Amino acid sequence: MRATRTLRFGLVGAVALTAASLMASAVAAPASVPASAPAPATGDHSATQEAMDAAVQDGVPGVVGQAKDKYGIWKGTSGVGDLQTNQLRSAHDRYRVGSVTKTFVATVLLQLEAEGELSLDDKVDTWLPGVVRGNGHDGRRITLRQLLNHTSGIFNYRDDSGFVRKYIVKDAFFENRYDTVPLRRHVKYAMANEPYFRPGKSWRYSNTNYSLAAMVIEKATGNWYGDEIHRRIVEPLGLHATSVPGTDPRMPRPSSRTYAKLAESTTGPTYDVTELNPTLAGGGGDMISDARDLNRFYSALIRGELLPRAQLAEMKTTVEAAGLPGVRYGLGLAERTLSCGVVVWGHHGGIIGSISEAVTTADGRHSLAFNFNGDWSGDSDAVIEAEFCH
């Protein structure tokens, strides 16, 4: 089966589209940040390199990553970025970060709350009247906060059978991968299904939540959500490799090719899926970045450079992420307790052909970001454990 990953969220193929069905249970009360064991920072990243090499041995074409701690910056690569030419992965590769996008979107909404433009307790219908309706969905009963922490119950459009048939299975992917899929169409796919539960009564990951969150940003600001991310986060932090690509299917250079099986089997043919219209994952999974930028972003976020104290506290107020041991989920930000007791904050990201992780310690001083350019194998959790627990 697929890679062992604590957070397997996003658009990574037909198998992963059903993964969220395993994640429902009662929501726990908000928790304070637990005491974290200190992450060992020895300047030795050999265990991390070994875990990256193991992912390649397991079938991932290539891995690129970067860690930053008090000893400086470490860059690691393993495997290839192009199966045709055997060109190695570059430490400077840009890549699709999938659901890591959600942290950027949530940060913008929290900034808007801090500015008094909206409240996370606003109902979705206040900003998007009539949009969340159908088969039991009702935006008049769902708050913006419930979108961000996945307690809305709204159906995940990527689980919709029509969406899967049109964009995910092999023949359909190659026929339709350049299609533009507007945010409202994501919601339409979701509304064709019943909600998972009544708002606030459980937890289940749904990409539709962030399609709607992006729409709220646009309604509140009058601007495309990608422009707001650029103006509020990318530009101030100097994230030169980070972008919201809109409808552009190409990857900026330097970058590697990306690969997928486009089937439940992990032993069948491997397909080059590098080019695709990012609007397939718009709002919750369409961004491009690199390991350096992601480390900078999460470190800055956790250290309070992007949000006032009150909003950062809201972001870090977590609920139980049912079915994901050691994980709690805040507002576009996941809290993981590793096997050695170290607590890290960040997000997993998956989009067809690409698996990414970005995490940082509670003080923002020890960060790791990396990418697999294949979506069917490799243990990304093992890479995180190697960096922070060895």
Side-chain angles (χ1 to χ4, degrees):
M1 283 299 290
R2 289 187 178 275
T4 303
R5 287 186 288 274
T6 300
L7 290 176
R8 184 165 54 190
F9 302 149
L11 183 64
V12 295
V15 175
L17 282 170
T18 62
S21 64
L22 304 175
M23 300 179 183
S25 83
V27 173
S32 59
V33 180
S36 171
T42 64
D44 180 6
H45 303 275
S46 58
T48 309
Q49 182 65 59
E50 289 172 5
M52 291 166 60
D53 293 341
V56 172
Q57 293 169 8
D58 193 42
V60 177
V63 186
V64 60
Q66 180 173 307
K68 183 176 182 181
D69 60 22
K70 66 180 181 180
Y71 292 96
I73 295 172
W74 172 84
K75 300 176 184 178
T77 64
S78 187
V80 300
D82 190 320
L83 291 174
Q84 296 298 315
T85 66
N86 286 324
Q87 180 178 344
L88 300 179
R89 289 215 68 174
S90 165
H92 304 288
D93 268 356
R94 301 180 184 191
Y95 46 83
R96 300 190 192 279
V97 302
S99 287
V100 172
T101 303
K102 290 180 172 64
T103 313
F104 287 81
V105 169
T107 300
V108 172
L109 266 183
L110 283 160
Q111 288 177 344
L112 289 171
E113 182 189 58
E115 295 162 9
E117 297 297 327
L118 53 77
S119 167
L120 293 189
D121 295 320
D122 289 345
K123 298 297 193 288
V124 174
D125 215 64
T126 300
W127 293 96
L128 306 172
V131 171
V132 179
R133 291 284 200 285
N135 289 307
H137 289 96
D138 189 346
R140 294 168 296 186
R141 300 179 179 180
I142 300 167
T143 67
L144 302 185
R145 189 186 311 275
Q146 289 167 336
L147 295 181
L148 297 184
N149 68 9
H150 298 294
T151 62
S152 71
I154 295 174
F155 189 86
N156 187 353
Y157 74 88
R158 295 176 194 172
D159 283 344
D160 177 74
S161 59
F163 183 86
V164 173
R165 287 195 304 269
K166 188 170 179 63
Y167 298 112
I168 304 302
V169 296
K170 177 174 71 69
D171 292 341
F173 171 78
F174 287 113
E175 181 179 351
N176 301 311
R177 64 169 158 173
Y178 296 111
D179 288 2
T180 295
V181 188
L183 297 173
R184 281 184 175 266
R185 196 179 303 169
H186 297 175
V187 180
K188 185 176 180 180
Y189 278 114
M191 295 301 104
N193 303 270
E194 294 182 357
Y196 296 125
F197 48 80
R198 287 182 297 166
K201 297 301 182 181
S202 189
W203 184 91
R204 184 153 173 171
Y205 193 86
S206 174
N207 291 286
T208 315
N209 288 324
Y210 278 77
S211 300
L212 289 162
M215 292 169 68
V216 171
I217 290 171
E218 293 178 345
K219 188 67 174 291
T221 65
N223 301 317
W224 178 47
Y225 73 92
D227 287 338
E228 289 295 315
I229 289 173
H230 182 83
R231 182 174 70 85
R232 293 168 173 271
I233 302 173
V234 173
E235 196 171 67
L237 293 183
L239 306 181
H240 302 300
T242 302
S243 64
V244 185
T247 61
D248 190 344
R250 300 164 298 178
M251 284 295 298
R253 295 185 181 278
S255 60
S256 293
R257 310 302 294 177
T258 56
Y259 300 94
K261 297 294 186 180
L262 298 175
E264 295 198 15
S265 170
T266 61
T267 58
T270 299
Y271 300 98
D272 186 321
V273 295
T274 307
E275 289 196 357
L276 56 83
N277 189 319
T279 60
L280 286 172
D286 54 344
M287 290 181 66
I288 292 169
S289 191
D290 69 1
R292 173 201 170 275
D293 277 9
L294 293 182
N295 284 340
R296 169 69 178 126
F297 168 63
Y298 279 103
S299 177
L301 177 64
I302 290 299
R303 296 173 78 165
E305 295 179 31
L306 292 170
L307 292 172
R309 182 175 300 177
Q311 276 67 39
L312 183 57
E314 286 188 286
M315 180 176 253
K316 295 173 70 176
T317 298
T318 60
V319 297
E320 180 186 355
L324 302 177
V327 178
R328 296 181 64 85
Y329 200 90
L331 305 183
L333 188 67
E335 175 193 31
R336 311 190 205 188
T337 302
L338 304 181
S339 63
C340 56
V342 172
V343 171
V344 294
W345 295 86
H347 214 287
H348 169 90
I351 189 169
I352 295 172
S354 182
I355 297 296
S356 302
E357 298 276 4
V359 293
T360 192
T361 48
D363 59 7
R365 294 180 179 177
H366 186 177
S367 304
L368 172 71
F370 61 92
N371 171 261
F372 295 173
N373 65 334
D375 64 20
W376 66 91
S377 62
D379 188 347
S380 63
D381 280 351
V383 181
I384 296 172
E385 289 274 339
E387 176 63 27
F388 293 96
C389 294
H390 292 279

